[in-house]
């Protein structure tokens, strides 16, 4: 029975949590704390990411009646996380940028060479992160939501409080700008 | 057209696993605690991150508790905290006002405020407009308008950065044209919280009945009407 409790799917957990079952909600908390925290960090919450996540999880519980379940609990929660992160930016007027893992953490194990971890690939990733950070915050946010957090256009729209059409146009504009920035760097190095 | 960005999109998707993300704290205990307690870490969170209008509801009878809880949820969304505590600090005998720059014209307030300044048309033109607590660039956090010889006061501020600390005997959840508002029907202590998040006790004063609501991320407080109905009519005349 106890085991079954941790195995319940999101939909079951949500419907039990709606009825006030905090144990069922805890299953969701356990399942989505890490992705929620990741989203908060990627959207610039920095050291406040844990606070953002906790706030989002509490709000999510209180807003469960509004959850429709069209696209799953994860994107719904991430939209709340993104919203909380924006509140944070508004209040402190600073945001923490994306950062690559410390070099030591991304060093490949000597006996497990990873083709994705060549010097070239690492340089490219460093470049990509640097250029991403140069983008306008709004451009950065759509790219993070769409491709790093893998949210749909609709989910990104609700996470960022934008019309879907704006998400669409901003995404292609941000991609074009990112590409321009990358090209600008490639030229002197070529 | 978006096709030619496919390679870049693939790179971004792949980048995700290489980004540094610190370890997430386990939230299970904290979240459960907050969901079972009547009040939670609002204060800590809000003071640290969003700053807030804080409504302390003192000595709430059990029958009121449910109402207060609803208010807490709703107003937390607007950057407002409802907190119960056993005792309330009394305001100082001679409170100093908000760190205000004094009277300005409505046009100046409109130019400098970081949000669209709106006024309740039901009160006519304000007799005095003030902007308060400016940042280094001269951007105010609060815009206040005074009417009827100062007996009616209308404050507006960015709901995510606003800062009043309230201690009230009573707080009610009321409907405002289908939106949510809080009505403080009795005099209560009002303290301004500075940009640093520290309450300025010198600003504590006894506020008269007040209606507080949020719209478009701006939080409004209308002070000076003893009747909720009157306050509501004025609040709905916001233009």
């Amino acid at each position: 029975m106890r085991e079954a409790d941790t195995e319940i799917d999101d939909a079951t957990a949500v419907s039990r949590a709606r009825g006030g079952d905090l144990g069922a909600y805890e299953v969701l908390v356990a399942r989505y704390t890490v992705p929620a925290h990741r989203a908060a960090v990627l959207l610039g919450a920095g050291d406040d990411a844990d606070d953002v996540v906790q706030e989002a999880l509490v709000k999510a519980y209180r807003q469960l009646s509004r959850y429709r379940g069209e696209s799953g609990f994860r994107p719904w929660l991430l939209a709340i996380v993104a919203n909380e992160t924006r509140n944070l930016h508004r209040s402190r007027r600073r945001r923490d940028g994306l950062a690559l893992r410390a070099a030591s953490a991304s060093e490949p194990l000597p006996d497990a060479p990873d083709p994705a971890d060549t010097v070239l690939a690492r340089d490219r990733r460093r470049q990509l992160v640097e250029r991403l950070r140069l983008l306008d915050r709004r451009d950065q946010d759509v790219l993070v939501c769409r491709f790093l957090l893998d949210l749909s256009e609709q989910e990104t729209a609700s996470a960022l409080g934008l019309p879907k059409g704006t998400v669409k146009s901003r995404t292609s504009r941000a991609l074009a700008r990112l590409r321009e920035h990358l090209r600008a760097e490639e030229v002197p190095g070529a | 057209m978006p096709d030619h960005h496919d390679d870049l999109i693939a790179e971004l998707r792949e980048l995700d696993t290489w980004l540094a993300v610190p370890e997430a704290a386990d939230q299970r205990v904290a979240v459960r605690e907050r969901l079972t307690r009547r009040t939670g870490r609002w204060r800590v969170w809000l003071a640290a991150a969003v700053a807030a209008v804080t409504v302390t509801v003192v000595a709430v009878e059990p029958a009121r508790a449910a109402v207060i809880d609803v208010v807490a949820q709703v107003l937390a969304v607007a950057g407002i905290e409802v907190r119960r505590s056993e005792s309330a600090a009394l305001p100082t005998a001679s409170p100093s006002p908000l760190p205000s720059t004094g009277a300005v014209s409505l046009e100046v307030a409109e130019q400098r405020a970081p949000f669209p300044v709106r006024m309740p048309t039901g009160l006519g033109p304000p007799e005095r407009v003030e902007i308060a607590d400016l940042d280094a660039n001269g951007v105010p956090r609060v815009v206040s308008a005074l009417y009827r010889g100062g007996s009616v006061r209308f404050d507006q501020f960015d709901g995510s950065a606003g800062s009043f600390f309230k201690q009230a005997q009573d707080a009610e959840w009321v409907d405002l044209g289908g939106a949510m508002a809080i009505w403080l029907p009795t005099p209560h202590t009002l303290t301004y919280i500075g940009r640093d998040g520290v309450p300025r006790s010198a600003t504590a004063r006894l506020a008269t009945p007040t209606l507080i609501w949020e719209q478009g991320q701006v939080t409004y407080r209308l002070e000076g009407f003893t009747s909720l109905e009157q306050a509501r009519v004025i609040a709905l005349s916001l233009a």
Side-chain angles (χ1 to χ4, degrees):
Chain A
M1 187 61 195
R2 192 155 284 277
E3 199 166 301
D5 270 354
T6 62
E7 293 297 317
I8 59 174
D9 63 22
D10 290 358
T12 312
V14 168
S15 79
R16 285 193 201 167
R18 267 187 191 149
D21 182 344
L22 288 175
Y25 191 62
E26 202 152 277
V27 172
L28 295 169
V29 170
R31 203 170 278 168
Y32 293 109
T33 293
V34 169
H37 179 263
R38 178 171 200 87
V41 172
L42 297 187
L43 290 168
D47 292 343
D48 294 313
D50 283 321
D51 283 343
V52 165
V53 169
Q54 189 179 119
E55 203 57 31
L57 287 167
V58 169
K59 281 190 181 162
Y61 178 80
R62 293 180 170 153
Q63 294 171 10
L64 275 181
S65 59
R66 290 194 227 153
Y67 172 69
R68 296 281 169 265
E70 297 101 343
S71 52
F73 187 76
R74 177 187 175 271
W76 184 75
L77 176 66
L78 294 193
I80 297 174
V81 169
N83 217 347
E84 281 303 304
T85 310
R86 283 191 297 139
N87 287 341
L88 178 73
H89 295 326
R90 265 202 295 277
S91 67
R92 64 177 192 176
R93 293 173 203 274
R94 129 182 110 77
R95 60 181 278 135
D96 292 295
L98 298 172
L100 276 177
R101 279 194 222 148
S104 58
S106 59
E107 287 302 333
L109 294 170
D111 57 342
D114 179 345
D117 203 27
T118 61
V119 173
L120 203 64
R122 264 180 288 174
D123 277 354
R124 174 68 178 181
R125 282 195 293 271
R126 179 190 49 75
Q127 210 182 48
L128 200 54
V129 168
E130 274 170 19
R131 299 296 132 175
L132 261 176
R133 295 179 66 157
L134 287 183
L135 290 181
D136 179 275
R137 186 173 65 75
R138 292 170 305 172
D139 287 352
Q140 216 183 101
D141 283 347
V142 288
L143 295 185
V144 165
C145 285
R146 289 286 286 115
F147 307 123
L148 300 184
L149 303 178
D150 202 24
L151 296 180
S152 71
E153 275 175 357
Q154 188 57 58
E155 289 155 6
T156 301
S158 80
L160 299 179
L162 297 168
K164 195 174 160 189
T166 308
V167 168
K168 211 181 182 69
S169 57
R170 196 169 282 170
T171 304
S172 55
R173 193 185 63 190
L175 284 167
R177 283 190 184 153
L178 180 61
R179 189 180 291 283
E180 250 171 59
H181 286 318
L182 286 164
R183 280 208 189 103
E185 180 158 299
E186 275 161 14
V187 174
Chain B
M1 199 58 182
D3 283 355
H4 71 277
H5 289 308
D6 280 358
D7 53 336
L8 199 49
I9 291 171
E11 272 194 276
L12 285 171
R13 289 189 194 279
E14 199 259 351
L15 182 67
D16 184 42
T17 55
W18 298 94
L19 290 169
V21 176
E23 203 171 314
D26 186 342
Q27 300 288 359
R28 282 176 297 180
V29 173
V31 169
R32 184 184 279 259
E33 247 177 41
R34 284 188 53 183
L35 293 178
T36 46
R37 257 185 300 163
R38 288 239 171 268
T39 57
R41 287 183 55 230
W42 297 121
R43 177 116 213 278
V44 176
W45 154 255
L46 290 168
V50 245
V53 171
T54 303
V55 181
T56 305
V57 177
V58 182
V60 182
E61 327 97 83
R64 278 241 159 261
V67 177
I68 301 306
D69 218 29
V70 171
V71 171
Q73 290 172 27
V74 170
L75 293 180
V77 175
I80 295 178
E81 176 197 355
V82 174
R83 186 163 61 92
R84 290 169 72 197
S85 81
E86 295 311 311
S87 62
L90 285 170
T92 52
S94 52
S96 48
L98 282 182
S100 160
T101 52
V104 296
S105 69
L106 185 54
E107 290 69 35
V108 168
E110 280 167 352
Q111 280 161 15
R112 294 172 68 177
F115 48 82
V117 172
R118 300 168 69 196
M119 294 292 171
T121 53
L123 285 170
E127 288 160 18
R128 183 182 168 94
V129 176
E130 294 176 2
I131 52 178
D133 203 2
L134 313 189
D135 71 8
N137 300 318
V139 177
R141 291 178 88 190
V142 185
V143 175
S144 305
L146 296 166
Y147 301 87
R148 300 185 187 176
S151 65
V152 172
R153 180 184 185 98
F154 179 65
D155 293 329
Q156 51 194 306
F157 49 94
D158 182 343
S160 63
S163 277
F164 290 96
F165 180 82
K166 278 173 177 284
Q167 296 185 321
Q169 293 288 327
D170 209 351
E172 261 176 63
W173 163 242
V174 295
D175 172 80
L176 182 64
M180 324 182 246
I182 185 173
W183 171 241
L184 300 170
T186 52
H188 54 278
T189 314
L190 180 74
T191 309
Y192 187 68
I193 299 176
R195 285 178 185 277
D196 45 13
V198 177
R200 305 207 183 144
S201 56
T203 65
R205 66 183 175 87
L206 207 57
T208 50
T210 299
L211 185 67
I212 305 167
W213 71 102
E214 188 213 16
Q215 216 171 68
Q217 282 163 13
V218 180
T219 301
Y220 302 94
R221 63 178 296 281
L222 175 65
E223 178 187 343
F225 287 95
T226 47
S227 139
L228 170 61
E229 259 331 294
Q230 283 179 335
R232 197 184 258 143
V233 168
I234 298 300
L236 288 172
S237 76
L238 205 61

